[in-house]
């Protein structure tokens, strides 16, 4: 028991009024689906709402609604007019930011500090940013008058539910496309609240359609012949299936898949900030981050000191109620994901790596995993190769910069990487050699709508965000 | 310990042998990334301290205040008033803790002593030609001896910023050593005037220099220069005392001073202490606030916690 214990500081749930059940959002209104499933709160296993399950016929209806809206309204509308709607949506997101943050934390399990200070502000920023592009597409560098593609089928993951929705919908709409979006099975609720925001903004019916459901609904959406463009964020495994499905069709595809990022700490790093960066890199959002810095590569000469500092810092992490404003690490999103984390960490111990976690009490209900680091990890261990997608860090050491680069690149993935050094020339030299779509220098997990994001190799293709993010939604 | 080339206590004695050695050591400390340090302090600033935690933090903050007046217009009467307030910050509530110390100019130390003698409240005096430090070493040392002779338990000195910024580290070091010697049993707080040091790398180096020279406390500011204390600067100093303890086994206190006006500010600093160095520094012996106006805000918040309503500035004493 320390001297200064923080009393519980829970954010009120009262701001969110959930309906007992939700339909599918097709053609501007909520309609019944074919089946239904429940969305639970991963921190308490409490049922939050019942949600419709989309069938193949529902996918058909949604794509037809999107096609109609594209041909009759949205595709013809001037960029300046489309921008007005997007600006309106962005402002409503800001106004209802608290409500969206609380619901995101309830449904996903992430701490309110992150949904409030990171997710939702970035969601609004994305809509503002792409609203600004809508009437300037002629000058975006994709030809004199680039055209929209038509109907976009979009499938998003559960780790940043509303943020991934924004990454997909904002550029698509700005470019004049209409969308059918399927949120993840375990986190559909903020997407449904977003559907209400579309109604509030008087967005023309059919421009945005939201289908809740599981993998079958997503597969039907990807395979639908009237979908012109597929955008997916999720696992490499599902990404492969999607690539196979669309092969030989005219559909355009962007895939944002897994990662196993190296966070490289050189001996001349600003050590205290590097430790913060390591913590942020792997424990942000419970490690449910495709670009998480899940492999720490630390230079031998400072490895002991860095590890000691890291362990001390990890002992101050506050694990618990996602709605408590002082929580640093929330709940694991689902029982299934928790099982996968447990399976991989067990493999790590069997293969001889040494696990360490700070002492911390975990709630008795819900899905939880202690922040964990593995030392004595070698490149051949599964925990150094496979994406764990949880609060688990594998620590490896290196002696020379060349060895660091070799280890960092020795993975089928290539989404992100981090470099920590006070030497500017080293940042440039190492960044140049890393095969990763995003390289952060002396920081980690920083996102901005103006900055493109995407991977090399098995981390996918295409870029989202920034001017580059427009290309995926324009014919040119 | 986060010094890249972990120095032992023995090698630390070596580093003060020459200016070159001292410079090599101070410049060999790990750098501070400003963006990262600012971000860490800002994140800790979002901690939500409520109910029982807030009540505890307010009392702890009151007990850590160095109640300060350092004006040309200070009079014996004003100083006595302040000393009485230090003893009983809330005259109507005996459960309110006293402040840690009263901090005044050397000429006022005897006045304070008359009031607080025999109480737990310490007498702190600024010295060494405060706040500019622009005087000869002889004058500075006389200033210190004066204060100690008059009864000061603690001496707040200013470092020679001109010498520090022009790289004459050994000169700064030797001056602190001389002042420490003149202090006798009094605890020495070394004011680095971080607002004039500008960079966080300089703050870290000045912290280590002050500790190596024997300072018992490292303190941000005189309060006469803007910016005074800030959360990221205090964070870097807390990291420095934590690392210094790990290397040498000697514990050094930290005192942010100036610019801490509200209870909310004070609580943010306590969160920094709690999550950077922990319980060991959550103690008035090791952490202080150099402030004056913050005390009344703490008292108003305290009575709000107890009674459920705000009393307003008419119900706290103005000194």
């Amino acid at each position: 028991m320390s001297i200064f214990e923080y009393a519980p500081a829970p954010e009120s749930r009262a701001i969110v009024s959930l309906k007992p059940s939700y339909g599918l959002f097709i053609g501007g209104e909520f309609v019944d689906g074919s089946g239904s499933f429940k969305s639970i709160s991963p921190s308490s296993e409490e049922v939050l709402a019942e949600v419709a399950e989309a069938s193949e016929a529902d996918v058909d209806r949604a794509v037809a609604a999107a096609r109609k809206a594209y041909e009759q309204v949205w595709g013809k509308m001037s960029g300046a007019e489309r921008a007005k709607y997007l600006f309106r949506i962005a402002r409503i997101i800001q106004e209802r930011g608290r409500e969206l943050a609380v619901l995101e934390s309830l449904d996903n399990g992430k701490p309110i500090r992150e949904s409030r200070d990171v997710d939702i502000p970035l969601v609004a920023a994305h809509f503002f940013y792409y609203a600004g592009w809508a009437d300037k597409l002629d000058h975006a560098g994709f030809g004199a008058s680039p055209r929209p593609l038509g109907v976009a089928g979009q499938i998003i993951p559960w780790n940043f539910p509303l943020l991934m929705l924004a990454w997909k919908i904002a550029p698509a709409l700005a470019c004049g496309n209409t969308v059918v979006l399927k949120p993840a099975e375990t986190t559909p609720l903020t997407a449904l609240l977003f559907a209400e925001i579309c109604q509030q903004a008087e967005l023309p019916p059919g421009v945005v359609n939201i289908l809740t459901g599981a993998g079958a609904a997503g597969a039907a959406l990807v395979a639908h012949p009237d979908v012109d463009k597929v955008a997916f964020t999720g696992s490499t495994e599902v990404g492969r299936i999607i690539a196979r499905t669309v092969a030989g069709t005219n559909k355009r595809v962007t895939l944002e898949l897994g990662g196993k990022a190296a966070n490289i700490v050189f001996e001349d790093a600003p050590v205290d900030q590097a430790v913060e960066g390591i913590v942020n890199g792997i424990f942000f959002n419970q490690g449910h981050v495709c670009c998480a810095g899940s492999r720490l590569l630390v230079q031998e000469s400072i490895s002991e000191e860095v590890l000691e500092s890291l362990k001390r810092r990890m002992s101050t992490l506050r694990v618990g109620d996602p709605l408590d404003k002082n929580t640093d690490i929330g709940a694991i999103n689902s029982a299934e994901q928790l099982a996968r984390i447990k399976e991989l960490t067990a493999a790590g111990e069997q293969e001889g790596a040494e696990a360490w976690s700070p002492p911390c009490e975990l709630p008795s209900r819900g899905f939880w995993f202690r922040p964990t680091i593995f030392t004595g990890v070698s490149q051949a261990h599964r925990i150094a190769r496979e994406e764990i997608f949880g609060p688990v860090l594998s620590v490896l050491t290196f002696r020379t910069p060349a060895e660091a680069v070799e280890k960092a690149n020795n993975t089928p993935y290539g989404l992100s990487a981090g470099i920590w050094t006070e030497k500017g020339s080293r940042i440039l030299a190492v960044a140049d050699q890393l095969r990763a779509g995003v390289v952060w220098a002396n920081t980690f997990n920083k996102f901005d709508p103006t900055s493109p994001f995407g991977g090399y190799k098995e981390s996918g293709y295409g870029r989202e965000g920034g001017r580059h993010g427009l290309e995926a939604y324009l014919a040119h | 310990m986060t010094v890249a080339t972990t120095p032992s206590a023995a090698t630390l004695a070596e580093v003060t042998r020459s200016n070159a050695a001292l410079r090599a050591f101070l410049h060999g400390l790990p750098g501070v990334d400003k963006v990262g340090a600012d971000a860490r302090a800002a994140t800790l600033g979002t901690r939500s301290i409520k109910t029982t935690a807030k009540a505890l933090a307010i009392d702890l903050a009151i007990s850590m205040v160095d109640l300060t007046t350092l004006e040309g217009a200070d009079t014996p009467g004003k100083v006595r008033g302040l000393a009485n307030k230090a003893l009983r910050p809330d005259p109507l509530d005996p459960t309110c803790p006293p402040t840690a110390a009263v901090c005044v100019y050397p000429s006022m130390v005897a006045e304070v002593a008359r009031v607080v003698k025999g109480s737990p409240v310490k007498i702190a005096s600024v010295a060494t030609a405060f706040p500019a430090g622009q005087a000869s070493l002889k004058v500075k040392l006389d200033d210190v001896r004066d204060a100690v002779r008059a009864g000061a338990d603690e001496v707040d000195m200013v470092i020679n910023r001109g010498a520090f910024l022009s790289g004459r580290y050994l000169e700064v070091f030797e001056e602190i050593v001389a002042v420490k010697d003149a202090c006798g049993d009094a605890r020495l707080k070394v004011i680095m005037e971080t607002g004039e040091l500008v960079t966080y790398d300089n703050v870290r180096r000045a912290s280590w220099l002050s500790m190596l020279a024997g300072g018992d406390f490292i303190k941000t500011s005189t309060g006469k220069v803007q910016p005074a204390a800030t959360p990221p600067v205090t964070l870097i100093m807390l990291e420095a005392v934590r690392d210094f303890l790990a290397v040498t086994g000697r514990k050094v206190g930290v005192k942010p001073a100036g610019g801490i006006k509200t209870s909310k500010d004070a609580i943010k600093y306590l969160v920094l202490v709690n999550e950077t160095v922990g319980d060991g520094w959550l103690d008035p012996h090791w952490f202080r606030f150099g402030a004056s106006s913050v005390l009344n805000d703490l008292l108003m918040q305290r009575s709000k916690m107890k009674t459920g309503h705000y009393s307003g500035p008419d119900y706290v004493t103005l000194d």
Side-chain angles (χ1 to χ4, degrees):
Chain A
M1 184 87 180
S2 84
I3 293 172
F4 189 13
E5 291 284 338
Y6 304 158
E11 179 70 53
S12 168
R13 279 178 68 160
I15 194 164
V16 175
S17 52
L18 278 174
K19 298 182 188 122
S21 69
Y22 286 86
L24 307 168
F25 186 66
I26 297 175
E29 52 197 29
F30 285 96
V31 298
D32 290 338
S34 312
S36 73
F37 62 100
K38 293 178 169 66
S39 190
I40 63 165
S41 168
S43 61
S44 63
E45 299 174 59
E46 163 202 350
V47 174
L48 295 170
E50 194 152 352
V51 178
E53 170 135 33
S55 66
E56 217 164 306
D58 297 321
V59 172
D60 239 6
R61 281 155 76 198
V63 173
R67 174 61 58 188
K68 187 174 162 208
Y70 173 69
E71 279 172 0
Q72 297 184 355
V73 188
W74 199 251
K76 294 193 288 194
M77 193 183 277
S78 73
E81 286 301 311
R82 291 199 304 271
K84 287 184 191 170
Y85 286 103
L86 290 172
F87 278 122
R88 199 180 291 164
I89 288 170
R91 282 194 299 270
I92 297 171
I93 288 168
Q94 282 188 321
E95 283 160 18
R96 299 178 69 174
R98 188 58 61 98
E99 182 185 353
L100 288 164
V102 170
L103 183 56
E104 196 76 305
S105 284
L106 272 175
D107 201 23
N108 169 281
K110 66 174 68 200
I112 186 76
R113 180 165 67 77
E114 290 177 5
S115 52
R116 178 195 69 197
D117 296 346
V118 182
D119 291 57
I120 305 304
L122 277 173
V123 169
H126 259 87
F127 277 98
F128 277 117
Y129 175 77
Y130 279 111
W133 268 118
D135 63 352
K136 303 172 191 70
L137 297 173
D138 291 354
H139 314 285
F142 303 113
S145 26
R147 298 284 311 144
L149 298 170
V151 175
Q154 306 177 318
I155 300 170
I156 57 170
W158 45 260
N159 57 343
F160 294 95
L162 197 64
L163 183 57
M164 291 301 103
L165 175 148
W167 281 29
K168 297 280 181 284
I169 291 184
L173 263 49
C175 292
N177 306 277
T178 57
V179 306
V180 178
L181 176 133
K182 189 192 88 65
E185 197 179 349
T186 58
T187 55
L189 297 181
T190 45
L192 294 166
L193 193 55
F194 179 80
E196 290 180 10
I197 288 173
C198 291
Q199 289 178 325
Q200 193 185 345
E202 294 174 2
L203 188 71
V207 174
V208 168
N209 304 277
I210 293 180
L211 297 180
T212 44
L221 180 58
V222 169
H224 198 285
D226 206 24
V227 165
D228 301 298
K229 148 85 189 170
V230 172
F232 171 74
T233 297
S235 70
T236 297
E237 187 189 345
V238 175
R240 278 203 186 91
I241 297 171
I242 290 174
R244 266 199 293 274
T245 309
V246 301
T249 72
N250 281 331
K251 287 174 192 167
R252 298 260 297 266
V253 191
T254 45
L255 300 173
E256 203 265 87
L257 309 174
K260 192 73 186 175
N263 203 357
I264 309 171
V265 179
F266 288 98
E267 62 186 1
D268 56 1
V271 174
D272 288 310
Q273 287 74 48
V275 167
E276 286 306 316
I278 296 165
V279 167
N280 181 39
I282 187 62
F283 302 124
F284 174 63
N285 204 36
Q286 295 74 245
H288 300 329
V289 184
C290 45
C291 52
S294 51
R295 285 184 298 151
L296 171 63
L297 299 181
V298 57
Q299 197 154 12
E300 243 174 23
S301 53
I302 56 162
S303 65
E304 272 179 38
E305 287 145 23
V306 167
L307 276 178
E308 199 183 312
S309 285
L310 177 62
K311 287 178 178 176
R312 181 180 53 218
R313 175 65 180 86
M314 283 172 67
S315 311
T316 68
L317 288 170
R318 308 173 63 84
V319 184
D321 179 9
L323 284 185
D324 190 305
K325 289 178 243 180
N326 295 325
T327 292
D328 296 319
I329 298 185
I332 300 302
N333 181 253
S334 65
E336 189 192 350
Q337 186 57 29
L338 181 60
R340 170 156 176 82
I341 296 168
K342 285 183 171 166
E343 197 256 313
L344 273 166
T345 48
E349 295 196 71
Q350 270 164 21
E351 288 175 335
E354 194 186 326
W356 182 89
S357 292
C360 63
E361 215 170 295
L362 298 180
S364 51
R365 300 210 56 185
F367 316 125
W368 302 91
F369 199 82
R370 281 190 183 82
T372 300
I373 54 175
F374 274 99
T375 51
V377 179
S378 78
Q379 284 288 91
H381 287 160
R382 279 183 72 196
I383 51 170
R385 308 208 65 79
E386 294 181 33
E387 186 176 35
I388 300 174
F389 222 63
V392 182
L393 178 69
S394 300
V395 183
L396 297 95
T397 59
F398 68 89
R399 192 165 283 183
T400 64
E403 188 187 344
V405 169
E406 185 184 287
K407 282 185 168 163
N409 286 337
N410 180 217
T411 164
Y413 295 112
L415 192 52
S416 67
I419 304 171
W420 295 85
T421 168
E422 287 271 271
K423 199 171 213 159
S425 58
R426 176 168 289 154
I427 293 172
L428 298 174
V430 172
D432 209 31
Q433 299 170 69
L434 290 173
R435 284 181 289 158
V438 183
V439 179
W440 284 292
N442 291 334
T443 188
F444 211 93
N445 276 340
K446 280 272 179 293
F447 306 98
D448 192 276
T450 62
S451 171
F453 183 92
Y456 275 45
K457 301 190 279 182
E458 287 182 22
S459 290
Y461 40 80
R463 292 291 177 264
E464 294 183 294
R467 186 188 64 83
H468 307 68
L470 296 167
E471 190 181 7
Y473 292 98
L474 289 173
H476 60 89
Chain B
M1 174 59 216
T2 58
V3 177
T5 47
T6 312
S8 67
T11 55
L12 279 181
E14 301 285 317
V15 305
T16 55
R17 281 219 174 141
S18 69
N19 197 57
L22 189 51
R23 182 191 155 83
F25 173 77
L26 295 175
H27 287 252
L29 294 166
V32 183
D33 184 79
K34 182 173 190 297
V35 175
D38 286 344
R40 172 70 177 145
T43 303
L44 287 177
T46 69
R47 289 293 193 219
S48 181
I49 305 303
K50 302 287 182 206
T51 60
T52 51
K54 186 175 178 183
L56 184 143
I58 287 172
D59 276 13
L60 192 56
I62 292 171
S63 75
M64 289 172 163
V65 169
D66 277 7
L67 197 58
T68 304
T69 183
L70 296 167
E71 302 298 332
D74 287 347
T75 60
K78 182 182 175 188
V79 165
R80 278 199 303 276
L82 207 66
N84 275 302
K85 176 142 180 170
L87 288 173
R88 286 172 300 278
D90 184 348
L92 302 176
D93 184 354
T95 66
C96 180
T99 71
V102 180
C103 182
V104 295
Y105 274 116
S107 58
M108 296 295 166
V109 167
E111 287 298 334
V112 179
R114 232 163 274 161
V115 182
V116 304
K117 200 152 197 166
S119 81
V121 176
K122 304 283 185 213
I123 307 163
S125 173
V126 296
T128 69
F130 180 94
Q134 299 280 24
S136 70
L137 182 58
K138 180 180 169 299
V139 171
K140 289 180 184 176
L141 294 180
D142 281 345
D143 201 13
V144 172
R145 288 190 196 103
D146 249 10
V148 173
R149 211 174 298 129
D153 304 300
E154 302 171 356
V155 170
D156 292 30
M157 74 168 286
V158 290
I159 66 164
N160 185 338
R161 280 93 75 189
F164 182 90
L165 290 170
S166 58
R168 304 195 311 273
Y169 298 125
L170 196 61
E171 189 179 326
V172 182
F173 174 84
E174 283 168 350
E175 195 168 295
I176 299 171
V177 169
V179 171
K180 171 72 183 164
D181 184 56
C183 280
D185 291 338
R187 291 177 89 201
L188 175 63
K189 304 195 195 99
V190 183
I191 304 172
M192 304 185 291
E193 199 64 294
T194 51
E196 290 184 1
L197 301 183
V198 182
T199 70
Y200 293 171
D201 286 329
N202 273 344
V203 171
R204 173 166 287 171
R205 289 170 191 153
S207 298
W208 274 84
L209 180 60
S210 305
M211 296 187 291
L212 286 169
D216 299 298
F217 256 87
I218 49 177
K219 173 175 169 184
T220 59
S221 327
T222 58
K224 309 288 186 192
V225 167
Q226 287 302 324
T230 66
V233 159
T234 307
L235 171 69
I236 290 157
M237 290 163 59
L238 288 164
E239 288 165 355
V241 296
R242 176 196 71 196
D243 295 345
F244 189 78
L245 175 66
V247 173
T248 64
R250 187 168 82 83
K251 193 167 168 183
V252 175
V254 175
K255 177 177 172 184
I260 303 156
K261 306 260 181 246
T262 64
S263 303
K264 216 172 186 167
D265 293 338
I267 291 171
K268 281 183 187 179
Y269 280 93
L270 292 180
V271 167
L272 279 182
V273 175
N274 193 34
E275 300 201 29
T276 311
V277 289
D279 284 357
W281 274 262
L282 285 170
D283 178 327
H285 197 69
W286 299 113
F287 193 80
R288 297 281 178 85
F289 292 107
S292 40
S293 58
V294 75
L295 180 59
N296 275 349
D297 194 59
L298 286 164
L299 293 173
M300 283 192 281
Q301 290 292 334
R302 192 175 187 276
S303 94
K304 157 77 167 52
M305 300 285 302
K306 290 207 155 189
T307 63
H309 58 266
Y310 281 105
S311 50
D314 288 347
Y315 294 84
V316 289
T317 60
L318 296 173
D319 314 271

